[in-house]
């Protein structure tokens, strides 16, 4: 969530999934530990073995006897001693949570269930585990890190708060490089346990980890500015995130003993934006950066706008969270946000009701909704005119926050990559999902813990190569996880240039889809519907909680079954017959829509959907899975800087990217394209009457309109992408 609970500040199910639940503490007061009993050595041996979590078979647990005591550990969980309160009822010391073991008819321990011990549990509480080996496998490679808290002075006199973690005893041994994350989300939770659980591969290798509160956040001094733009640095005290990064690195090199003089910078989301900033006007010591789901251009396609359409709930919640306080307590409410924003008509009313209209970014939403110089100056991709340091971009196909940034930064850097130092990984993840040990996203099962695969074979070797000179990093350019087929693919470029051919999928009359271009009359209608702002199409199942509120399903909404809206009359579905062979869609998926409205403004949402057969096992029977999707606000079809009214009844071409995909629609499935004109309340409602500023549109301007999509030889509405060449 801009990864609010970043892997450092909160090792949790949000980021790390199930892999770190064992042995971690939460904020719940600890109940009284159970009375312990002593089990004989022979009895302890009955529990020894390797177990996996039934719902997450890649999460392994090892139980073994050492020094007459029983211990449990995981790859991302610290070793804890197990004690018994009764036969087959074991808990870990200093935490009453534990495992209720079960036996088969012969009396052999075969598995068990994780219990909470009376406290709120982590991701694994209530989960079953199964014994997969009678031998205990060494899983944990944690090393102890010492912790130092510092205030680092920067050029204008402000001091930035940082935590330094280094392997115990390394002050006099091998000179180690730095790995740094800068964040607005607080670094006080940075500990040895957290770094080992969060980045086990890198922590085991050994780095000097540095976590820094950026200017004006938590314990750092100075003024916080959201996505602070890079400035010209004409005056001595001109500051931005590039200068704060350079000044921090200069201080670290001088004041942290026994460092190697090399620095790597990484981060997810807002920290991803900061990681890319470290690669612009880079300090000479920076040898590698990894911007992961980076905020890049918050107007064009990241957090706050997409092609001019305002992400209302996200802008509302996130701005209050970051600018309304120096910490970042999430906005919470029991009210369905759908009702809240419908009741408040426009964003100006919603902001006034919440008392947030004076927050700096909220002011810009209200007064500069177009792509003004303010938003353009923030955009990172325009600064990427050369490759200064090796760069590993990482993103997820179903990133609910910053899918755009990963692909946009890669696209900006790749043409300048003469030394082959720009790399990208695109996987089956939501925002930051590659940090977890899981093969799942919502109900989807990818058959392997893809985040573990990425970190072990790409991320860790990337930093090992550029910071320690080690071999093992073999990525040529792009690694892509092909969903549907569930296989990793490697490409020499993205979109791939070899082995693929351009293809078009046309929207045809009678709401069909065809790879054959239409030949009908110029005014042939493929589909039409009436869009009524008084009854907008919800973007996810209701009730819709605040973005990061209690019980929110925000993190997985992009993989929700679209059947909850696909039967509505105020949208148009276009579908192929049942496929008689696999169809793979790769590369940048572009919507080229020819459409007309009876209004003077309109939003166009296009979704590419994989429709599963009805006879596959539940929960996937009949499932409608979005593969790519995007919105375009009609007033910006001529210019993002200068909006203009749409002429009623005129056929207009709306051509825009739905972003990258690498997906196989399997034989027996169907391909669907869904077009609609609202996606509420993630995006504010378009009045469908042109007004100077939708943020303050009067209620009387919200009017129904008939939306018509054409599918003729003259107006061939279609999607463009790449398909594998036929062999």
């Amino acid at each position: 969530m801009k990864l609010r609970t970043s892997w450092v500040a909160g090792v949790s199910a949000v980021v790390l999934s199930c892999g770190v639940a064992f042995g971690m503490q939460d904020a719940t007061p600890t109940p009284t530990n159970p009375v312990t009993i002593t089990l004989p050595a022979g009895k302890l041996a009955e529990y020894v073995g390797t177990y996996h979590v039934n719902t997450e078979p890649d999460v392994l647990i090892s139980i073994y006897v050492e020094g007459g005591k029983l211990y449990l550990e995981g790859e991302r969980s610290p070793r804890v001693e197990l004690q018994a309160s009764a036969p087959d009822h074991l808990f870990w010391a200093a935490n009453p949570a534990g495992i209720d073991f079960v036996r088969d008819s012969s009396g052999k321990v075969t598995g068990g269930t994780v219990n909470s011990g009376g406290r709120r549990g982590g991701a694994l509480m209530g989960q079953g585990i199964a014994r997969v080996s009678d031998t205990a496998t060494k899983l944990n490679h944690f090393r102890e890190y010492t912790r130092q808290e510092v205030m680092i002075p920067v050029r204008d006199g402000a001091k930035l708060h940082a935590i330094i973690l280094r392997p115990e005893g390394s002050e006099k041994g091998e000179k180690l490089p730095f790995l740094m994350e800068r964040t607005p989300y607080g670094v006080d939770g940075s500990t040895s346990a957290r770094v080992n659980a969060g980045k086990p591969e890198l922590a085991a290798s050994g780095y000097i980890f540095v976590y820094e509160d950026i200017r004006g956040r938590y314990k750092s001094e100075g003024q916080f500015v959201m996505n602070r733009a890079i400035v010209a640095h004409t005056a001595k005290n001109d500051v931005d995130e590039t200068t704060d990064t350079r000044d921090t690195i200069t201080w670290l090199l001088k004041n942290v003993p026994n460092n190697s003089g090399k620095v790597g910078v990484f981060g997810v989301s807002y920290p991803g934006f900061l990681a890319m900033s470290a690669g612009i006007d880079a300090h000479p010591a920076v040898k590698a950066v990894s911007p992961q789901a980076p905020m890049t251009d918050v107007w064009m396609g990241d957090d706050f706008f997409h092609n001019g359409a305002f992400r209302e709930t996200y802008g509302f919640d996130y701005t209050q969270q970051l600018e309304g306080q120096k910490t970042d307590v999430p906005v919470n409410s029991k009210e369905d946000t759908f009702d809240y924003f419908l009741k408040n008509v426009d964003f100006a009313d919603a902001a006034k009701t919440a008392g947030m209209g004076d927050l700096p970014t909220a002011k810009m939403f209200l007064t500069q909704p177009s792509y003004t110089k303010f938003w353009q100056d923030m955009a990172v991709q325009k600064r990427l005119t050369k490759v200064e340091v090796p760069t590993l971009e990482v993103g997820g196909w179903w990133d609910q926050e910053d899918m755009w940034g990963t692909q946009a930064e890669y696209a900006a850097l790749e043409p300048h990559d003469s030394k082959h130092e720009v790399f990208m990984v695109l996987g089956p993840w939501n925002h930051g999902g590659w940090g977890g040990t899981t093969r799942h996203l919502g109900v989807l099962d990818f058959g392997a813990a893809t985040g573990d695969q990425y970190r072990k074979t790409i991320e860790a070797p990337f930093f090992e190569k550029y910071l320690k000179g080690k071999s093992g990093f073999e990525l040529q350019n792009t690694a892509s996880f092909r969903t549907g087929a569930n296989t990793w693919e490697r490409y020499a470029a993205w979109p791939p240039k070899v082995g693929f051919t351009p293809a078009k999928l046309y929207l045809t009359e009678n709401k069909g889809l065809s790879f054959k271009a239409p030949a009908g009359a110029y005014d042939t209608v493929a589909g039409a519907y009436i869009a009524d702002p008084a009854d907008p199409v919800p973007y996810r199942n209701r009730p819709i909680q605040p973005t990061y509120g209690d019980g929110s399903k925000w993190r997985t909404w992009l993989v929700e079954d679209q059947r909850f809206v696909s039967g509505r009359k105020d949208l148009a579905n276009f579908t192929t017959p049942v496929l008689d062979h696999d169809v793979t869609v790769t590369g940048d998926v572009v919507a080229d829509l020819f459409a007309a409205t009876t209004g003077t403004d309109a939003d166009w949402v296009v979704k590419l959907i994989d429709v599963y057969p009805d006879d596959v096992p539940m929960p996937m029977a009949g499932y409608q899975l979005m593969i790519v999707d995007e919105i375009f606000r009609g007033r910006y079809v001529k210019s993002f800087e200068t909006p203009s009214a749409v002429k009623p009844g005129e056929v207009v071409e709306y051509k825009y990217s739905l972003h990258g995909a690498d997906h196989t629609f399997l034989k027996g499935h169907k391909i669907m394209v869904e077009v609609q004109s609202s996606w509420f309340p993630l995006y504010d409602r378009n009045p469908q009457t042109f007004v100077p500023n939708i943020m303050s549109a009067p209620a009387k301007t919200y009017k129904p309109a008939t939306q018509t999509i054409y599918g003729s030889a003259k107006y061939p509405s279609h999607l463009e992408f790449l398909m594998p060449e036929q062999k």
Side-chain angles (χ1 to χ4, degrees), residues 298-600:
V298 295
W299 193 95
M300 193 60 69
D302 283 325
D303 298 82
F304 299 140
F305 295 85
H306 280 213
N307 296 314
F310 177 54
R311 285 165 61 97
E312 187 166 42
T313 51
Y314 199 86
F316 181 86
D317 291 346
Y318 189 68
T319 301
Q320 292 182 77
Q321 185 173 322
L322 254 69
E323 293 185 339
Q325 55 197 323
K326 197 174 180 182
T327 59
D328 59 313
V329 178
V331 173
N332 213 341
S333 169
K334 294 183 179 179
E335 184 176 7
D336 186 338
T337 60
F338 188 101
D339 293 332
Y340 177 84
F341 285 102
L342 196 61
K343 175 177 63 182
N344 280 284
V345 181
D346 55 35
F347 184 71
D349 284 347
K352 182 179 179 181
T353 299
M356 60 175 288
D358 289 334
L359 296 179
T361 301
K363 284 183 178 179
M364 303 315 295
F365 294 155
L366 291 166
T367 61
Q368 299 194 42
S370 299
Y371 197 39
T372 61
K373 184 178 185 298
F374 173 81
W375 301 110
Q376 293 175 32
D377 286 347
M378 283 186 184
V380 176
Q381 76 277 11
K382 297 178 180 181
R383 308 279 182 176
L384 305 181
T385 57
K386 59 181 177 179
V387 179
E388 297 189 40
V389 297
T391 303
L392 175 64
E393 298 277 354
V394 184
W397 297 128
W398 289 287
D399 189 321
Q400 74 279 9
E401 295 175 25
D402 295 303
M403 177 196 294
W404 190 88
T406 298
Q407 298 174 42
E409 288 188 357
Y410 169 88
L413 283 170
E414 199 274 337
H416 310 290
D417 187 22
S418 59
K419 296 181 180 179
H420 303 293
E421 292 180 338
V422 175
F423 312 94
M424 184 166 64
V425 181
L426 298 169
W429 306 306
N430 62 354
H431 194 60
W434 47 92
T437 296
T438 177
R439 56 180 59 190
H440 300 104
L441 178 58
V443 300
L444 304 184
D445 186 336
F446 304 111
T450 55
D452 284 7
Q453 292 174 333
Y454 149 72
R455 292 192 317 277
K456 292 177 180 180
T457 65
I458 299 176
E459 183 185 65
F462 170 76
F463 284 116
E464 293 281 281
K465 175 179 178 177
Y466 289 107
L467 298 182
K468 293 187 174 182
K470 294 184 178 180
S471 61
F473 181 67
E474 299 175 349
L475 183 60
Q476 181 182 1
N477 187 284
T478 297
S480 164
F481 188 86
R482 182 173 295 170
T483 53
N486 290 348
T487 59
W488 280 104
E489 305 293 334
R490 300 290 181 107
Y491 301 119
W494 183 264
K497 296 180 173 63
V498 178
F500 292 83
T501 186
K504 295 181 179 181
L505 183 63
Y506 294 92
L507 283 58
T508 64
E509 59 182 322
N510 301 318
K511 297 184 178 180
L513 287 175
S514 174
F515 286 99
K516 183 179 179 181
Y522 80 94
D523 57 353
T524 299
V525 172
Y529 55 90
I530 298 174
D532 185 357
D535 184 23
V537 180
Y539 81 99
R540 57 181 165 111
N541 278 292
R542 298 180 64 188
I544 300 174
Q545 303 82 7
T547 309
Y548 308 121
D550 293 341
S552 176
K553 297 179 175 62
W554 163 253
R555 294 175 179 86
T556 57
W557 80 268
L558 281 171
V559 296
E560 279 191 12
D561 189 343
Q562 293 301 296
R563 283 180 291 186
F564 83 101
V565 295
S566 62
R568 291 176 60 118
K569 303 300 183 184
D570 53 352
L571 49 76
N573 290 320
F574 305 86
T575 312
T576 65
V578 174
L579 299 175
D580 60 6
H581 64 282
D582 292 353
V583 175
T584 296
V585 171
T586 300
D588 190 33
V589 181
V590 175
D592 195 351
L593 202 66
F594 292 86
T597 178
T598 58
T600 52

Side-chain angles (χ1 to χ4, degrees), residues 598-615:
T598 58
T600 52
D601 197 0
D603 286 350
W604 302 99
V605 178
V606 177
K607 311 172 185 173
L608 176 63
I609 295 172
D610 187 341
V611 181
Y612 283 66
D614 292 331
D615 58 357

Side-chain angles (χ1 to χ4, degrees), residues 1-12 14-16 181 183 185-187 190 194 211 268 271 328:
M1 60 194 273
K2 297 293 70 32
L3 236 34
R4 194 188 82 74
T5 48
S6 73
W7 70 266
V8 175
V11 178
S12 69
V14 175
V15 182
L16 299 179
E181 181 188 61
T183 177
Y185 302 122
V187 301
S190 306
R194 293 288 170 90
Y211 303 104
V268 178
D328 59 313

Side-chain angles (χ1 to χ4, degrees), residues 8 20 93-94 178 204 225 245 271 280 312 480 491 642 682 690 695 702 712:
V8 175
V20 297
F178 292 100
V225 176
T245 303
I280 299 171
E312 187 166 42
S480 164
Y491 301 119
T642 308
L682 176 59
F690 183 82
M695 298 290 178
Y702 290 80
S712 66

